[in-house]
Structure formats: structure tokens, C-alpha cells
Amino acid sequence: MTRSFPESFLFGAATAAYQIEGAAFEDGRTASVWDAFARVPGAVIGGENGDVACDHYHRYRDDVALMERLGLQTYRFSTSWSRVRPDGGAVNPAGVDFYKRLVDELLDADILPWLTLYHWDMPQALQENGGWTNRDVVDRFLEYAGTMHDALGDRVTVWTTLNEPWCSSFLSYTGGEHAPGHMSIAEGLLAAHHQLLAHGETIRELRSRDASLNLGITLNHTVADPADPQNPADVDAARRVDGQFNRWFLDPVYRGEYPADIVEDIRAVDADAVAQFESAIHDGDLETISQPLDTQGVNYYHGDLLAGTAQAPVADVPATERKGRSPYPSSAGIHAVERGLARTAQNWEIQPEGLTRLLHRLSDDYTAERGVTLYVTENGAAFDDVVAADGQVHDAGRTDFLRAHLDAVLDAADAGVDVRGFFYWSLMDNFEWAWGYDKRFGIVRVDYDTQQRTVKDSGHEYARIIAARSL
């Protein structure tokens, strides 16, 4: 059976600055939190870092030409705060000029630039002053956002404030797995609030500059299912994961409030942390955070089957040997359990139907009544790719993953969900945070020794789908 995509549906791919650009200390760029964290012993597999990565800073023209050959209609990329305003200070013209050249190249190739302002690369100098736990950083972020709009506002129409604030707050300041690697419940709560406040302030500022802009945020989501829907402990475990992963960000963005049940769950674990968090919420903050949006980016990789007691536990495959803690402030009695699904090289479940359910849930509970359009801004999988004797990468697993998740998006769209685009993560293999270069997500292989790009079978299939606009 052939399934067609609407003519207005956008096909793209996504990357992030630190993961692909390299040129970490060239042309005025200074250290980001990830430059510092990657040098902490044990923080990243193999002690690897993003100093060179995919050398996109020097090879962007070739990379855009590759996107054009694949038929991409849009390209989601992030700008580096550390390149544009090094140390969080004055504007660096050389850094701004790089993004001007990149955007011009994209427009010349008839590829829509989809710009994300923050994909986790805060200047290290700001982190040394508290990072996202310090309210002052909201003003510094607004300055940076204004700089990017000054430079690109005449050519870039789609602006995303934050990518996956759950990762850059709870996973980074509470779980310790991502930069800056802290393990504090209070810091995670403060970081989440100040990121959302920076989001709201930026939406308000950009809207005042140009009402025609398409403005939004990208959140990562899980689908939290109880192992036994009749078991109250399992239902409660699923509620707490949904609340701490999904609703902690959705509710303030769309409803101007944090989920009260989750606040109380965390208070029971660390009352002082919640007191610090509540004192950090100033009058008007939640109104600022809940600025009207045009678009929400949806990042989905897998769901979770959860139980209140340990049973058939999922094998833990940590990125590194560095010890962290749960990124969930209220984590006791939450256990991920096995359900027999196929898994990726990171041991993530492959659950396409979860994406369909997620899109329905977001539409029904948050976006439809507010006129917000959904785009799947990240979806992809790491597999242990092998270069065959013919020099190609025959990645059947990733090809099947791509087709299955596009099918899941069509299921939601056909049922009336306003979802208008899909970005595969990632355009190319890259620095995968704490996993370093150990895991490959790209539809394009990167040989890190030679920087040669090779389109994988999944990339050829994606190009075919885009050209045919059908599965």
C-alpha cells in the first residue's frame, strides 16, 4: 500500500552546533560547558570531545550541497552561543558571519533554515557564575537571541528557543550525565525554571520585533505506560515519569503553571529544593513562560513501560562509567521493565506506535485548542553500522526505523492531528554527547579520520520518500 504525505508536509534533518561544527577555539569562539565537561575524566566515552567533530565549520558548503542532493526541504540547526557571544559577553562578528554564510548557502539551495538558539552549549564562563541556576543568565540569553535576530531576522523565519530543556536541566544538573554534570535536585529545578523563563522572554522579544515569525520550542517526550494498568503502584510510577518528563515543561508553557502533583512529589523527597524553586518564581514569570506559540517541536525516540516494583528490569547500558543519579527528583519506586520490543544500539526500545499516541496526546491536551502546529523535530536511531566491501553502509535497521516512524506520523495526521513535518536525527554521524563518537545516528556516515561523507542506505531511502512524497 502506498501512503502519501500532504503537499505542505516538510521533510528535513537535524543537527546541533557542538555535535558537528568543530573549530572549537577558532575565530573567537571560547569554551562552552560541553568543552569543559568533555575534559572531565570519565564524562565521555573514550575521553572524546567536539573540538573537530564533523568539521562542519569548514565544510558547510559541501554539507549543504549534500542536503540538496538528498532533497531536504528544511534543515534544523543550532547556533553556538559560545561562538556568537563568547563567554556570554560581547558579540563576536566572525561567529555571527559563519551563520550568515550558512543561511545564505541554505537559501541558495532552496532549503528552509530552521534555527534553534539553544542546544546545550552555554558559555563555560556563564556556568562558572551558576549557569542556568542563576537568574541573571536569562538576560544574557536574551542578548544572544537578539544578536542572532539582528543578523538573520531578514532571512530566517522559523525560530526555536530551546531544544529539550529536560536534558539541559534535570539530566544535566540533577542526573549528572550531561554538562555541567551536577547532581542536585535544587539545581535541576532552578535550571528548568530559568530556561523556560528565557524561552518566554525570547518569544516575547522576537514577537515584538516581527509578528510574522514562526516561533516555538522543542521538547523531548516519552510515552509513559504502566506495566499493569490495574496496579496502582505501576500507574503511579507512570504518572510520575510523565509528570517529571513531559508535564513539567508542557504545563508551564501552555497553562502557565507547574504540575501541582509533581511539585508535591518532589517536596516529599527534598523540601528545601522545592522551597528554593518556589522562591525563584517571581510575579509574572509564569505569564512570561506561557507566551503564545506558533509551533512545537516534538522529539521522540522511545517510550517507557513502568512499574512500581522491580520486575524483569531493562538492562542498564550507561554511556560512561561515571556515576550519576536519577534525573528524576522523585525516583523511588520507578522501575523501567522489559516488554520484548526490538532495541537500538543504545538499548532504546523501537516503539513507532508510541509516536502516534504522543502526537494525539499533545494535540488533544495542549496544542490544538491553541492553534499550535506540531513538527517531529527529532526521531532517529543508533545502530552499529558496518562499511561493506562495496564501500556502502547497508543499514537495514535504520531504514526500517525511519519508515516505521514516518508511517506513525501519517497515522496521526490522517486522524486529524496537525503535524506538518519530520526531521530525521541526524543528518550525519556526530559527537553524541556522553556517548562520544561511539554511537552513530546519521543517514550519512562520517569517517572521522578523513571526514569523508557516505550516504547510507537509510539516506537513499529517505531521499526516495521525499522525492515521491509517499511511503
Side-chain angles (χ1 to χ4, degrees):
M1 183 179 71
T2 298
R3 303 189 71 186
S4 296
F5 290 87
E7 282 303 311
S8 60
F9 193 89
L10 286 175
F11 292 97
T15 66
Y18 187 75
Q19 294 180 268
I20 67 166
E21 284 182 3
F25 300 100
E26 291 184 36
D27 293 340
R29 185 189 180 281
T30 57
S32 75
V33 289
W34 269 96
D35 292 298
F37 185 64
R39 287 164 170 78
V40 174
V44 176
I45 287 178
E48 295 164 338
N49 58 57
D51 286 5
V52 177
C54 304
D55 198 30
H56 176 72
Y57 186 79
H58 299 112
R59 300 169 186 267
Y60 71 93
R61 289 188 177 89
D62 291 341
D63 289 338
V64 173
L66 177 56
M67 297 177 212
E68 187 176 18
R69 291 197 297 275
L70 290 171
L72 297 186
Q73 297 172 286
T74 180
Y75 171 55
R76 177 175 173 258
F77 65 98
S78 73
T79 52
S80 168
W81 192 350
S82 297
R83 195 179 297 286
V84 171
R85 295 191 75 122
D87 298 332
V91 176
N92 174 29
V96 174
D97 285 347
F98 168 69
Y99 296 109
K100 288 181 177 178
R101 297 193 303 273
L102 173 60
V103 166
D104 287 346
E105 201 76 17
L106 290 167
L107 292 174
D108 287 346
D110 198 27
I111 297 171
L112 175 71
W114 193 287
L115 190 153
T116 299
L117 287 164
Y118 189 67
H119 202 131
W120 311 346
D121 51 358
M122 170 181 282
Q124 175 63 15
L126 293 181
Q127 176 55 45
E128 290 170 3
N129 195 35
W132 285 112
T133 70
N134 184 342
R135 189 181 178 96
D136 178 70
V137 81
V138 174
D139 291 335
R140 305 289 78 76
F141 185 82
L142 194 59
E143 291 171 349
Y144 157 60
T147 296
M148 294 315 307
H149 185 265
D150 289 343
L152 299 174
D154 61 332
R155 284 162 289 167
V156 174
T157 59
V158 185
W159 294 76
T160 301
T161 53
L162 309 175
N163 177 78
E164 298 187 349
W166 183 85
C167 290
S168 45
S169 58
F170 291 125
L171 193 62
S172 301
Y173 286 86
T174 297
E177 184 174 327
H178 281 189
H182 295 182
M183 287 172 267
S184 162
I185 291 175
E187 287 193 19
L189 295 172
L190 292 172
H193 180 65
H194 292 147
Q195 285 184 46
L196 289 175
L197 185 59
H199 152 76
E201 293 280 14
T202 300
I203 293 292
R204 177 185 284 156
E205 172 64 18
L206 295 183
R207 187 84 69 197
S208 72
R209 290 180 175 214
D210 184 351
S212 72
L213 296 177
N214 183 326
L215 303 178
I217 189 171
T218 283
L219 304 176
N220 54 324
H221 296 289
T222 188
V223 176
D225 291 321
D228 178 359
Q230 305 305 314
N231 183 327
D234 294 359
V235 171
D236 191 65
R239 175 191 64 82
R240 284 191 289 143
V241 167
D242 177 65
Q244 293 174 93
F245 202 108
N246 296 324
R247 290 189 288 126
W248 193 265
F249 300 93
L250 288 165
D251 284 9
V253 165
Y254 288 106
R255 297 173 178 167
E257 60 186 18
Y258 286 99
D261 61 321
I262 301 303
V263 172
E264 295 310 311
D265 289 338
I266 299 172
R267 195 189 309 276
V269 175
D270 191 335
D272 182 64
V274 173
Q276 292 182 56
F277 161 70
E278 290 177 331
S279 68
I281 303 174
H282 295 187
D283 288 346
D285 279 6
L286 288 164
E287 180 183 357
T288 296
I289 290 169
S290 58
Q291 294 295 303
L293 303 180
D294 303 297
T295 290
Q296 187 197 320
V298 179
N299 290 2
Y300 172 83
Y301 290 92
H302 63 88
D304 292 286
L305 187 67
L306 299 155
T309 56
Q311 50 179 287
V314 175
D316 185 27
V317 184
T320 69
E321 296 180 357
R322 185 173 184 270
K323 298 299 181 184
R325 54 146 288 156
S326 172
Y328 297 115
S330 173
S331 59
I334 295 176
H335 303 274
V337 298
E338 182 60 65
R339 55 180 150 191
L341 296 177
R343 292 179 175 271
T344 70
Q346 283 174 294
N347 207 38
W348 292 355
E349 290 183 333
I350 300 174
Q351 188 193 5
E353 60 82 23
L355 178 54
T356 306
R357 286 195 284 139
L358 171 62
L359 292 168
H360 275 285
R361 186 268 180 99
L362 294 173
S363 176
D364 292 345
D365 291 356
Y366 295 98
T367 61
E369 66 183 288
R370 296 170 175 86
V372 177
T373 301
L374 297 172
Y375 290 82
V376 177
T377 40
E378 285 185 30
N379 173 252
F383 290 99
D384 294 326
D385 298 332
V386 176
V387 180
D390 61 2
Q392 301 302 303
V393 178
H394 304 299
D395 56 338
R398 184 177 292 105
T399 301
D400 290 344
F401 183 100
L402 170 67
R403 291 179 57 86
H405 284 81
L406 281 169
D407 201 47
V409 173
L410 275 177
D411 285 344
D414 288 350
V417 175
D418 188 9
V419 53
R420 301 188 196 176
F422 176 92
F423 296 74
Y424 181 80
W425 181 273
S426 176
L427 172 67
M428 64 183 91
D429 298 335
N430 55 45
F431 179 82
E432 192 50 48
W433 308 115
W435 294 93
Y437 298 100
D438 187 63
K439 296 292 180 265
R440 294 177 177 268
F441 275 82
I443 52 174
V444 175
R445 177 182 173 81
V446 177
D447 182 319
Y448 297 116
D449 293 328
T450 66
Q451 292 296 336
Q452 179 181 348
R453 274 71 159 144
T454 302
V455 178
K456 304 176 188 179
D457 282 1
S458 58
H460 291 300
E461 175 64 5
Y462 194 32
R464 187 205 64 76
I465 292 168
I466 294 170
R469 302 196 65 79
S470 66
L471 282 174

